Amino acid sequence: MTALPGFYSTLFTIAIPIVLQNFLQTFVNMLDTVMVGRLGATEIAAVGLGNQIFFILNMMLFGISSGGAIFVAQYWGKKDIAGIHRTLGITLALSFVLSLAFTAAALFFPHELISLYSSDERVIALGGRYLRCIAPSYPMLALSFAFQLAFRATEHVRLPTVSTAISFFVNAVFNYLLIFGASVSVFGTALTVPAMGVQGAAIATVISRFVELAITVGWSYRKKYEACGRFTELFSFDRDFLARFVKIALPVIINETLWGLGITMEHSIFSHASTDALAAFNITGTISQLTWVFFIGVGNGAGIIIGKKIGEGAEAEARRYANRFAWFMPAMAVLIGSLLFPLSLALPLLFNVGPHIIRQARLMLRVLMCVYPVNAFNMFFIVGMCRSGGDTIYAAINDGVWMWFVAIPIAYIAAFVLHAEPYVIYACLQIEQIFKSGAGLLRVRNGKWLHNVTH
């Protein structure tokens, strides 16, 4: 194997701040789930389904911004600042318009949206209230997302981490005050904050998103980050550039949208199986994200490194990096995935739910441990290698086909024909990872993933 001097120092300089940011973002979601979980299983299910609308938006925003990050990373390698500005302008415009559409839907049709996932009237009522309250955070999230991914691609990884850390503490404080209610003293005046339950969790999220956006934009422009341009610089793209952007980014947007819809379909399967099954699935997702953030960080770090090398014209070195990451991430998954076992033992301390829900969540986490190395490889294959190399169509096909035509149908049969236990349904959903990894190994070996999108 060809040596890559400085591989680990380069990777972790970029990846660790991304890991920390994603850990904090995950901890924000976990904090909501844990705090709301003290209210009961119905409240967990309501917030979980309310967040499915956010999840779909989040995936589409990630598709737009990560599509833009392909260009930004390669332009960064070429030191083409004007190209970076035009790319960020496109991502900001598309992201903001999309977020407004989701905001309108959540404000005016919240109960109808929740009813797509559950027939439980109590869950629909609580989820609708949560959704309507959290809707104003969507445009703020959209703008933060676009800026933060552009900063990552230009190796400014600390600011997104700091802004997320501050928003986490803001969210924690307001979650405590607004979910459970409290009496506080402000400048010597006693104030009583009423307990608002799931609505309080939503309002706390809105406040924290505003803080995150203000810090991200304010600090980056003050420090004059390369991606931060004037209005005319950001929106100076022409029709030809937009067409080139869409050609590369559209498969990523479709990929993330279909993947997000697939995840919501999985929630729908568990929801219609039973509210307790959905609660166990939500708990599993919340806990697993505590360890998965490492692979999100390394996968995105790999994409930044490889994309920059392609932009510099060092294609042979980009391929060597890809080969190294292809074994490094699964190897780390064996070690980090083992942490899911002690985390599964701590579930009764975190969630106020019945023992049957805890049992199913534990079994789901142990299923996940078994497929963690394969999942980690697939994170690199899709996000770190194919997208950084502009191979977005191949990535989109393999990320969507196995989910929609294999995993979801098998899980549906397990749930509604065989009436299997929730952890068995969960295991069926993981089958896609095996097929996907085979396609990924083939692409690494034949090397057809590498394309310079800036030409």
Side-chain angles (χ1 to χ4, degrees):
M1 182 177 294
T2 305
L4 286 172
F7 172 82
Y8 295 106
S9 60
T10 301
L11 169 62
F12 289 116
T13 298
I14 295 172
I16 286 177
I18 300 175
V19 170
L20 290 174
Q21 183 192 8
N22 280 279
F23 178 80
L24 289 168
Q25 288 174 337
T26 298
F27 216 78
V28 168
N29 295 334
M30 182 178 178
L31 196 65
D32 281 351
T33 304
V34 170
M35 286 189 172
V36 170
R38 306 311 297 176
L39 303 176
T42 301
E43 285 79 3
I44 291 179
V47 171
L49 292 182
N51 278 328
Q52 285 310 295
I53 308 304
F54 159 77
F55 182 75
I56 295 172
L57 171 62
N58 191 57
M59 289 298 96
M60 295 178 75
L61 292 175
F62 183 74
I64 294 170
S65 295
S66 59
I70 296 169
F71 284 84
V72 172
Q74 293 194 17
Y75 278 128
W76 182 238
K78 295 178 68 174
K79 298 303 177 186
D80 184 345
I81 304 303
I84 293 173
H85 288 160
R86 291 194 300 270
T87 304
L88 178 56
I90 292 175
T91 59
L92 285 170
L94 294 176
S95 298
F96 188 68
V97 170
L98 177 66
S99 69
L100 291 181
F102 271 76
T103 300
L107 286 173
F108 296 112
F109 308 104
H111 297 94
E112 291 82 354
L113 291 172
I114 299 298
S115 66
L116 295 174
Y117 302 104
S118 176
S119 56
D120 187 318
E121 292 185 4
R122 177 64 174 161
V123 171
I124 293 171
L126 287 174
R129 292 177 203 165
Y130 178 83
L131 196 56
R132 182 170 282 161
C133 289
I134 205 170
S137 72
Y138 295 164
M140 292 182 280
L141 171 72
L143 297 178
S144 293
F145 221 106
F147 276 109
Q148 289 179 357
L149 262 71
F151 296 155
R152 285 183 185 179
T154 51
E155 300 180 87
H156 291 291
V157 291
R158 292 183 182 178
L159 175 59
T161 304
V162 171
S163 63
T164 300
I166 295 172
S167 71
F168 162 73
F169 288 109
V170 170
N171 185 269
V173 170
F174 280 96
N175 259 348
Y176 179 80
L177 292 175
L178 298 176
I179 292 175
F180 305 109
S183 295
V184 296
S185 179
V186 180
F187 301 114
T189 302
L191 297 176
T192 300
V193 180
M196 301 175 68
V198 297
Q199 291 169 282
I203 294 170
T205 299
V206 173
I207 295 170
S208 67
R209 293 294 184 201
F210 174 79
V211 171
E212 183 177 22
L213 175 62
I215 294 171
T216 298
V217 176
W219 186 261
S220 61
Y221 271 87
R222 181 181 177 185
K223 292 297 183 179
K224 299 180 180 179
Y225 285 6
E226 294 84 358
C228 297
R230 296 187 300 272
F231 185 88
T232 53
E233 293 173 328
L234 293 173
F235 299 99
S236 62
F237 51 86
D238 56 24
R239 185 178 300 176
D240 290 340
F241 185 81
L242 179 60
R244 188 147 48 95
F245 178 90
V246 168
K247 180 181 178 181
I248 296 298
L250 185 59
V252 183
I253 298 168
I254 295 172
N255 180 181
E256 292 298 336
T257 302
L258 290 175
W259 190 81
L261 289 172
I263 295 297
T264 63
M265 180 63 70
E266 293 176 4
H267 276 78
S268 182
I269 290 172
F270 280 104
S271 176
H272 286 92
S274 73
T275 297
D276 287 351
L278 177 62
F281 184 56
N282 284 334
I283 289 170
T284 301
T286 299
I287 295 297
S288 67
Q289 282 299 309
L290 290 175
T291 52
W292 188 244
V293 292
F294 175 84
F295 302 100
I296 295 174
V298 174
N300 280 275
I304 292 168
I305 293 168
I306 294 171
K308 184 181 178 183
K309 292 297 179 184
I310 295 171
E312 291 173 347
E315 295 187 359
E317 192 171 356
R319 294 184 192 279
R320 289 200 298 274
Y321 269 104
N323 291 333
R324 176 70 65 88
F325 281 115
W327 67 260
F328 173 75
M329 287 188 68
M332 292 302 298
V334 173
L335 174 64
I336 294 175
S338 65
L339 297 175
L340 292 172
F341 185 82
L343 286 171
S344 73
L345 300 179
L347 295 182
L349 304 176
L350 298 173
F351 301 96
N352 183 30
V353 296
H356 57 292
I357 297 176
I358 295 294
R359 174 179 173 272
Q360 290 298 327
R362 279 180 174 165
L363 290 171
M364 289 180 189
L365 285 170
R366 289 166 191 176
V367 168
L368 185 59
M369 284 177 59
C370 297
V371 294
Y372 232 46
V374 177
N375 291 10
F377 171 80
N378 291 336
M379 163 61 75
F380 160 69
F381 153 51
I382 299 294
V383 175
M385 185 183 76
C386 285
R387 289 187 183 171
S388 67
D391 193 26
T392 54
I393 295 176
Y394 187 86
I397 291 171
N398 281 283
D399 209 21
V401 166
W402 303 118
M403 170 183 268
W404 279 97
F405 294 99
V406 176
I408 289 176
I410 292 175
Y412 183 91
I413 293 170
F416 303 115
V417 177
L418 303 178
H419 304 290
E421 290 190 65
Y423 83 92
V424 176
I425 302 170
Y426 184 80
C428 292
L429 290 172
Q430 297 299 318
I431 291 174
E432 65 161 308
Q433 303 294 341
I434 307 298
F435 291 98
K436 193 188 300 182
S437 65
L441 287 170
L442 177 64
R443 208 61 166 178
V444 171
R445 290 177 63 86
N446 65 31
K448 295 179 179 179
W449 57 270
L450 196 153
H451 311 275
N452 192 321
V453 301
T454 62
H455 290 334

